[in-house]
Amino acid sequence: MRPNPPEQLPQHRYPVDPWRLVEIEYDNDDLGLTETLFATGNGYIGMRANPEEGREAHSHGTFLNGFHESWHIQHAEEAFGFARTGQTIVNVPDAKLIKLYVDDEPLLLATDDLDDYSRTLDFRTGVLTRDLIWRTPAGKRVKVTSTRMVSFTHRHLAMLTFEVTMLDSPAPVVISSQLLNRQDGEDEYHVRSAALGQGRDPRRSRVFDHRVLQPMIQRHDRHNGEVVLGYRCANSRMTLACGYRHLINTGCEHKVDTQIGDDLAKTVFTVRAEVNTPIRLVKLVTYHSSTGVPAEELGDRCSRTLQRVVEEGADTLVDGQQAWLDEFWESSDVELRGDPPAQQALRWNLYQLAQATARTHEQGVAAKGVTGAGYEGHYFWDTETYIVPFLSYTNPDAARKLLRFRWRMLPVARQRAVDLNQRGALYPWRTINGEEASAYYAAGTAQYHINAAIMFALKRYLDASGDIYFLADEGVEMLAETARLWEDLGFYANNGEMTFRIYGVTGPDEYTTVVNDNMYTNVMARFNLRYAARSIELLKEWDRPAYDRLCRRLELDESEIKGWNTAAEAMYIPYDERLGIHPQDENFLDREPWDFDGTPPDKYPLLLNFHPLVIYRHQVLKQADVVLAMFLASELFTLEQKRRNFDYYDPITTGDSSLSACVQAVVAAQIGYESLALDYFREALFADLADIHANTTDGVHIASAGGAWGALVFGFAGMIDNGLALRFTPSLPKGWDGFEFRITRHGSRMSVDVDRKGCVVSVLSGPPVPLVDGEHQVHVDEGTSYRIAAIRLPPSEPDVGAGGTSTAT
Amino acid sequence: MRPNPPEQLPQHRYPVDPWRLVEIEYDNDDLGLTETLFATGNGYIGMRANPEEGREAHSHGTFLNGFHESWHIQHAEEAFGFARTGQTIVNVPDAKLIKLYVDDEPLLLATDDLDDYSRTLDFRTGVLTRDLIWRTPAGKRVKVTSTRMVSFTHRHLAMLTFEVTMLDSPAPVVISSQLLNRQDGEDEYHVRSAALGQGRDPRRSRVFDHRVLQPMIQRHDRHNGEVVLGYRCANSRMTLACGYRHLINTGCEHKVDTQIGDDLAKTVFTVRAEVNTPIRLVKLVTYHSSTGVPAEELGDRCSRTLQRVVEEGADTLVDGQQAWLDEFWESSDVELRGDPPAQQALRWNLYQLAQATARTHEQGVAAKGVTGAGYEGHYFWDTETYIVPFLSYTNPDAARKLLRFRWRMLPVARQRAVDLNQRGALYPWRTINGEEASAYYAAGTAQYHINAAIMFALKRYLDASGDIYFLADEGVEMLAETARLWEDLGFYANNGEMTFRIYGVTGPDEYTTVVNDNMYTNVMARFNLRYAARSIELLKEWDRPAYDRLCRRLELDESEIKGWNTAAEAMYIPYDERLGIHPQDENFLDREPWDFDGTPPDKYPLLLNFHPLVIYRHQVLKQADVVLAMFLASELFTLEQKRRNFDYYDPITTGDSSLSACVQAVVAAQIGYESLALDYFREALFADLADIHANTTDGVHIASAGGAWGALVFGFAGMIDNGLALRFTPSLPKGWDGFEFRITRHGSRMSVDVDRKGCVVSVLSGPPVPLVDGEHQVHVDEGTSYRIAAIRLPPSEPDVGAGGTSTAT
């Protein structure tokens, strides 16, 4: 269905700015949205953008990537092999709270008289700043400036500043800086919607009915004012410690008092404030969490983290933040000429990618990054399909860590395969700790395609980095176990010819489930089987002892590897001769068409308005997985096939999934549907900023952010990387003057500048970069550029298995 | 898979007896089984066969048909339209308790020294009797005889007797007769298995975590000793009152004391027992329940029920019980010559049918009758497909009530159709109060075929009874609303010819779910559409004003009715030309075969040992629904087709469903697989007596009991009734000398006696009975008999839609 995205944000509230998101009006009605849009994080710590006053909120959220409570999944009706252990990210104690009282009157944004207000998230400094002038009930004007930054360089650290200046009159000022455990992660919204008896949106997070965080330590160092609280999760036994220290700087007379309890520590600054004499407070905050270390020890780590920052000086934190972001933009920026609102939105999306991935270390990237508890803080295939490609070309080390995270998950994935009666390894559809946490197998465990998505991400990373050591050490093991699963899951059927079929699986489009021969799954499984066989054969040539060790460890032999190739060769790919399209699954084209005309807008997303049985039996898509296959395995399809497939599926795709728009954009761009591609790109770009899916309250759609980058690079610039060389088939959307992006490939940092005539590839540093330009292969040396002309090729023939040849017209 | 049923029960414990189930050894190890086998009930009240002492038990159960608690179904992952309100039958206060103390020592079967022990369920008197001689710790011999009977004539009444005789020495004897509310229906087994952390068997009942029965009244009438307790369910608000009165008869000196509390009332008889002087106690027990009447009023009803029995005299109860059963056996008995163990088992099964259906009034028949809480006390399609046919020919009034129960459910079924985005009415897959309670839609709500099963039962009843008034008053409305659903659910597809398809449904075989064009469903939907159209056309001719009223009420017109016929004509029935069989669904034959050789016996039932996804993607059946279609729509298939279908499906049918064996028996008999038919018949016959499914602890498989009757009548006797005349194609299994069954049809009571040469149909009373014998139609008059020869016909051609012609060889 044709998207209808905004062209810009409402200017009266969010003026255009290329490097910042700025809010110049406070609005109490969409707090959930702005808490997400202005959230700060570093991939480990995430803080929703709640005002320091800690009152009005959609949800007061602070999250630590991977820090979760577990719970027994109570299935309404049990069956063998259903996921047993639920996992939910925990809302940890809130250190954002800094409450201000002037003349004993509290500052309260919702009702107070504000002479001035602005909030700015600066993508270059990495600091969220709020400036306001408060006219108190007594009529005194108070300037309040606060900043918040979660450090990109120090994983465990955040810094808040709070500066108060009396502009007209002196007054007694009290600043109460807190660390508050809002027990059990329950927040107002959940309580409210439960009270109203509303049905729960399954995409939202769980409400616990027990005390999750059990108090373990409460420390207060009277010498330096340091406070540390420690907890243990009741079920998961994960531990947490968090703490703060303050630095106060003012010419005003003041005293300090600290109180500490199980669930609240507060340090209260009582100040005799003079006119035009700033009271400046710095609050250093730290969080440490663990699956095994006692809270006591984490408490010690908190003290050391805080002590180190105090010794180094808070300014070094600010400088480090800036330096980190300089490097980030140097390697990841996309400059978009001729469309300032899109430029701003794009940088916001890229900044979200930084906030979601900078310091994940060896955790995954949750569907909402660290900005909310949506989808329980779980990791899905989104990471591999939508985020790892971006990281592979901008921050390969981060991509590598995400893949290592999956490698460390192998033992649990092997056990899950056993549970499902299969050999090899089956990655969990959604998880934090590696165990399957999907309580609805039809749109969960049945999505076996996650195995291939992870292997596809591995290939993206290896093609971009050339890191064959990772392939040899971790990659081949994952490849072997995933290939094993596919070979065991499918079966040979003889319908005239012998074909390899995969039955009873769900593709990325969750609006049909448990189908036979899902085309996307079969294409990706074939890739997985072939890539595993080829990589292990490569290992055999390259490092025979390593190959022998692998075979012994996995009880692998050549005949099994041969079997993978045999299955891949025989893989059945549904194709309908009559329509000239690829059916989404074996039965897809036989289904009844959906009555789009009879479906009013308020019935979307369908999943919240129709029983699954109703959705599943119709031709209607949440996201078009044939189109996704055409993106990820572009070389398998002729231009004509791509167009016919796209023409068939696009009108019946609701885009109810936020993973949809960016993929439609890539393929629309590749097949020359320029204006549609641009609309889809904007839909991905503004997914959160314009709250297109009406649930940005629950956190950013981080995959959509990755996908928006992908739409530019793989869609409009038409970049294809087969591991040996790069190819571009650029096509600049109407209305833009051009765009330039930075990537790093095999150690070479490059810029690619797309304009009306084609693109210019410049190698900024590193070894020469191999390019394919039409029939020619060229190498672009450091410090030089190469221009590729925009070309229009006739439709090409299918070229299965070889390098890509498809182009945009 | 070939069944391997027992030929008889273990004789050392259960000696053969044609009219009784007798246990001559007490065994503490299989209490769950014997509690079920010796349970007493009348279709409303059900009492598990717990010993009066109330100690050792698998589960102390007393149930009232339809008396349930409701609860919010917490789905692990929510979706639109999922069932919201769970319903679970409640274990009501236990009046079975009569505790005996001699010299202050309690009688305890598990450990005591018993000189003699027997327990007898007598199918002709309707009384459960226990006889034992207890050698007390002091060495005194005490004769204890107790009886229990749930009245077949008084819906709300049960009577227990307890007689104690000191054989050698006098002793102080205390008899404590109780009414105990074991709170919340929780029993030892559940607590134990939860404590052991065992996974729950989904077929078992729910354990509540709240106090279900809220005490409302406690009454004790000091004048007559009457005790009444009243309760209300916390969520469902259903009300209950229960009470007792005692009659004591003894030559010994005694006194009586009664205590009463919220959850326990007890009347204690303290007796100075003399040698050989019986102490005889009669305990009259009553239960009343309601969805709306206050417990106070139910308490009054209890008093009136008890008072009436006391006035009429307890002996009249015993006489009435006997008279009711005389009539039952007169109308329902099957005499089986030459196989005494099978005769006993058969009568036990028929007796279970009496206990499950005698006094249901307008409730359904739960999957376990009233013998246990398995499947939560829910009503399924079992009632209509396996029980109503038996009742239609033996107790038409009971069949009519069950159908009226479904008619009264129409408003809720209409709402459920709306929830599922359909017109018409959709009956709930499992329910007590009419609301869908299936928490797993794939094997629940998706079984739309229940709509057709209910209409099929309607046809059985109408063919057997000729009750056109029921058709006109209730039948046509159900027919119209169910036909509407089918016409709206399916759709027309043009694959060369225009066919009507039904996608995304589950057939009776729950080992594949949410499939397209399930052959059973399509056959039954076609029947439903045609039968609705034909019946309403009939009504139009027969009673035009009634027809007009129906059309106005349902906004029905002729074009809609025509549309049902059009859909029926275009209905797609999967058929595979190559194999000459009917695929179970459009994709069934493409699935991977199940590895039966690699599946050890302890992996059955598969549903408890494999993830649903694993089961669903293979060719493996829980029950063969193509075979069921061949039973219910026998006329659609040639003998050759039947054999080919049977040959294909039987080996891949696990029979993990207790609904399977009896159907396999019918069709095996019809196609001449005599020995296999007999094995399947025995498997159905001994399903509970030999605990073949290892869960008779949870209650009897009442559908299997009905199915066993069906196997004899429709299978071995080959009875077909098209509403106009009866046809028989008898074939007597080897090893039997013959069998004779009683049926009532259109008011004529008949016996059918099957022997080696054929069968003899005798009309015992009522109008002449039309029979088809080969090419001839005959009428058999009251008091006369007609012999039909066993015939062997060549395979016949398909005869779609006309009367049946298929026969056994």
Side-chain angles (χ1 to χ4, degrees), chain A residues 440-441 448 503-504 587 590 617, chain B residues 440-441 503-504 587 590 617:
Chain A
Y440 179 54
Y441 73 82
Y448 290 81
Y503 269 34
N587 296 105
D590 302 331
R617 69 166 66 91
Chain B
Y440 179 55
Y441 73 79
Y503 268 33
N587 296 104
D590 302 331
R617 70 165 65 91

Side-chain angles (χ1 to χ4, degrees), chain A residues 73 76-78 80-81 202 420-421 439-441 448 489 491 503-504 587 590 592 608-612 614 616-617, chain B residues 73 76 78 80-81 202 420-421 439-441 448 489 491 503-504 587 590 592 608-612 614 616-617:
Chain A
I73 299 178
E77 198 170 323
E78 275 287 353
F80 181 90
L420 271 288
N421 216 41
Y440 179 54
Y441 73 82
Y448 290 81
L489 178 67
F491 66 103
Y503 269 34
N587 296 105
D590 302 331
E592 189 176 4
L608 298 186
N609 294 285
F610 294 90
H611 193 288
V614 178
Y616 296 170
R617 69 166 66 91
Chain B
I73 300 178
E78 275 288 353
F80 181 89
L420 272 288
N421 215 41
Y440 179 55
Y441 73 79
Y448 290 81
L489 178 67
F491 66 103
Y503 268 33
N587 296 104
D590 302 331
E592 188 176 5
L608 298 185
N609 294 284
F610 294 90
H611 192 288
V614 177
Y616 296 170
R617 70 165 65 91

Side-chain angles (χ1 to χ4, degrees), chain B residues 43-99:
Chain B
Y44 173 63
I45 301 172
M47 293 181 170
R48 289 178 65 75
N50 307 106
E52 284 76 354
E53 293 69 37
R55 295 286 287 271
E56 310 82 3
H58 172 275
S59 51
H60 297 278
T62 304
F63 303 100
L64 306 180
N65 188 357
F67 185 76
H68 69 279
E69 174 64 321
S70 57
W71 40 279
H72 175 72
I73 300 178
Q74 180 74 49
H75 293 279
E77 199 169 321
E78 275 288 353
F80 181 89
F82 276 10
R84 291 275 167 272
T85 308
Q87 303 146 41
T88 297
I89 196 164
V90 173
N91 190 2
V92 297
D94 185 357
K96 302 186 301 290
L97 294 168
I98 303 179
K99 300 186 178 185

Side-chain angles (χ1 to χ4, degrees), chain B residues 628-643:
Chain B
L628 180 59
M630 296 196 300
F631 168 26
L632 301 186
S634 180
E635 69 282 4
L636 300 183
F637 304 85
T638 65
L639 177 61
E640 267 317 299
Q641 284 177 339
K642 283 185 182 175
R643 282 185 173 169

Side-chain angles (χ1 to χ4, degrees), chain A residues 32-33 35-39 48 348-349 352-353 355-356 365-375 382 658 687-689 695-705:
Chain A
L33 175 62
E35 283 167 17
T36 296
L37 298 185
F38 289 90
R48 289 178 66 75
W348 181 87
N349 277 279
Q352 293 309 316
L353 288 164
Q355 292 205 127
V365 175
K368 303 294 181 184
V370 286
T371 63
Y375 292 106
D382 310 19
S658 67
D688 288 315
L689 287 164
N695 67 347
T696 295
T697 53
D698 301 330
V700 300
H701 295 84
I702 195 66
S704 181

